[in-house]
Amino acid sequence: MSAAASRGEYSATVVLSQKVRKDHESDYRRWQDRLTELARGFDGFDDTEVYPPEDGADGEWVVIFRFRRTDQLTAWLDSPERRQMLEEGRPLFEGPPAQDVLAGEPPLPEAVTAVISHHVLTSREPQFVRWHAKLQKVQEKAPGYMGHELFRPVPGVQENWVSIVRFDTQEHLENWLTSTARRKLLDDGRDAFASYDVRQIRSAFSGWFRFGRESGTTGVPPNWKQAMCVLLGLYPTVMLLNLTVGKALQAAKTPGYLALFISNVLSVSILTWAVMPLISRALEFWLAPGPAAPGRTHALGALAVVLGYAALLAVFGSTVG
């Protein structure tokens, strides 16, 4: 049992996977922002994460909504307001979204996650549980494996069994999903489930942006916010290294390829252990706003970052030229 379970911390999560029509991405982003703001107004709303398509995902976006309890999530999913939003957004999608509801411990934000949904006939559930236990014994030996959860169906909300598996890198996850061992297990389990579907979730900079429940926030910020913050930390770091270490390496006549490697090692180290933790704490109100945060929080945070860019450009422009 995890620490969250021992404290009685549970949540209800829905993972939505939907294919956005080509050339409708900008309209979809605006629509998704409106849907998120709608969800924020419902009791129990906890967090939202939006993941753009991975390479080769054919326009498939993955969106995660978390609520504190299953009944609160269900109230939002079944609300007339959400149904109206779905009707308005219908022209943006190639078809209805795939939906998985997870009722249990809050998923941990790891580097790479696969959400695997299994359609299991009621009469075959004991057989499926035995098969999944066999799968898990092999899966946990795979390189890069970090953990998994298995979620039972939620009556009236979620018919499928859903498993969450986490690996440390995209390569390790891909290796497991395409492995001969897994394919053999899937063949062996054909009698245990009627069908299954796999969706992958990854955050580009998740290791630099993690927020715990003690601060009232959860999850990983949207990639666009993460990218803005990384640029805010990366630019001054690289500039200062160029003005100090870079000049020293040049004076020592260090070969260019080696000087670049040394500079990259220093910049990544400084970002990871010094700069990004400071930026994350300073902008936590924007990166991971609480359920009660007003909508203008997103605009104010983005404005603060843009002003930071301007200040850095002004400082280095006047000192370096």
Side-chain angles (χ1 to χ4, degrees), residues 19-22 24 27-29 31-32 88-94:
K19 289 188 177 181
V20 177
R21 295 183 185 276
K22 190 176 181 180
H24 285 69
D27 292 334
Y28 164 72
R29 286 178 180 273
W31 177 87
Q32 184 62 53
E88 292 179 13
R90 192 182 301 275
L92 303 176
F93 307 112
E94 294 185 4

Side-chain angles (χ1 to χ4, degrees), residues 6-308:
S6 66
R7 293 192 302 268
E9 294 179 2
Y10 290 87
S11 71
T13 301
V14 60
V15 180
L16 302 169
S17 177
Q18 44 203 3
K19 289 188 177 181
V20 177
R21 295 183 185 276
K22 190 176 181 180
D23 300 326
H24 285 69
E25 290 83 359
S26 296
D27 292 334
Y28 164 72
R29 286 178 180 273
R30 289 191 290 269
W31 177 87
Q32 184 62 53
D33 287 342
R34 291 172 55 206
L35 183 64
T36 298
E37 288 304 313
L38 173 66
R40 290 181 187 280
F42 279 72
D43 289 343
F45 174 83
D46 204 7
D47 186 30
T48 304
E49 298 170 29
V50 179
Y51 296 90
E54 299 287 345
D55 293 339
D58 195 24
E60 188 173 67
W61 291 68
V62 176
V63 184
I64 298 174
F65 287 92
R66 294 193 181 99
F67 281 72
R68 296 191 184 95
R69 300 198 311 266
T70 302
D71 60 330
Q72 293 171 329
L73 172 61
T74 303
W76 175 67
L77 290 175
D78 296 338
S79 67
E81 296 89 342
R82 180 173 179 269
R83 286 200 295 269
Q84 181 179 346
M85 283 291 299
L86 293 178
E87 188 62 31
E88 292 179 13
R90 192 182 301 275
L92 303 176
F93 307 112
E94 294 185 4
Q99 174 177 302
D100 294 306
V101 175
L102 317 177
E105 297 180 34
L108 298 176
E110 299 292 353
V112 190
T113 302
V115 180
I116 307 172
S117 177
H118 298 85
H119 178 57
V120 182
L121 299 179
T122 304
S123 60
R124 298 180 181 177
E125 287 185 346
Q127 183 180 354
F128 172 77
V129 172
R130 290 193 297 270
W131 170 82
H132 191 272
K134 181 180 178 181
L135 171 76
Q136 175 55 21
K137 288 182 180 179
V138 178
Q139 179 175 263
E140 64 188 12
K141 297 177 182 177
Y145 171 81
M146 298 184 71
H148 92 291
E149 293 89 25
L150 179 64
F151 296 86
R152 292 176 174 271
V154 181
V157 179
Q158 166 66 34
E159 297 179 355
N160 291 343
W161 289 68
V162 181
S163 62
I164 304 292
V165 59
R166 293 185 294 275
F167 279 75
D168 58 351
T169 67
Q170 182 73 23
E171 181 181 6
H172 282 149
L173 175 60
E174 291 286 355
N175 288 344
W176 164 244
L177 292 177
T178 59
S179 66
T180 302
R182 184 172 182 273
R183 284 198 298 269
K184 184 178 185 305
L185 285 163
L186 290 174
D187 290 339
D188 293 344
R190 292 300 180 188
D191 293 335
F193 52 87
S195 62
Y196 72 95
D197 184 43
V198 179
R199 288 180 295 283
Q200 296 185 38
I201 302 171
R202 178 175 59 180
S203 176
F205 309 105
S206 60
W208 283 340
F209 301 92
R210 298 192 181 188
F211 301 95
R213 287 181 175 269
E214 66 273 6
S215 61
T217 57
T218 59
V220 178
N223 280 346
W224 66 272
K225 289 186 178 181
Q226 297 181 42
M228 288 183 69
C229 289
V230 171
L231 178 59
L232 183 63
L234 182 63
Y235 174 65
T237 301
V238 171
M239 284 295 295
L240 291 173
L241 285 174
N242 284 340
L243 295 173
T244 55
V245 177
K247 288 186 176 181
L249 292 173
Q250 186 177 11
K253 297 183 179 180
T254 306
Y257 69 91
L258 180 57
L260 182 59
F261 176 78
I262 294 173
S263 296
N264 285 341
V265 169
L266 291 174
S267 62
V268 170
S269 300
I270 292 171
L271 281 173
T272 300
W273 287 290
V275 176
M276 294 314 302
L278 292 175
I279 291 177
S280 295
R281 284 195 293 271
L283 294 174
E284 183 173 347
F285 76 95
W286 175 63
L287 290 168
R296 66 177 180 274
T297 299
H298 301 283
L300 291 174
L303 178 61
V305 175
V306 171
L307 291 176

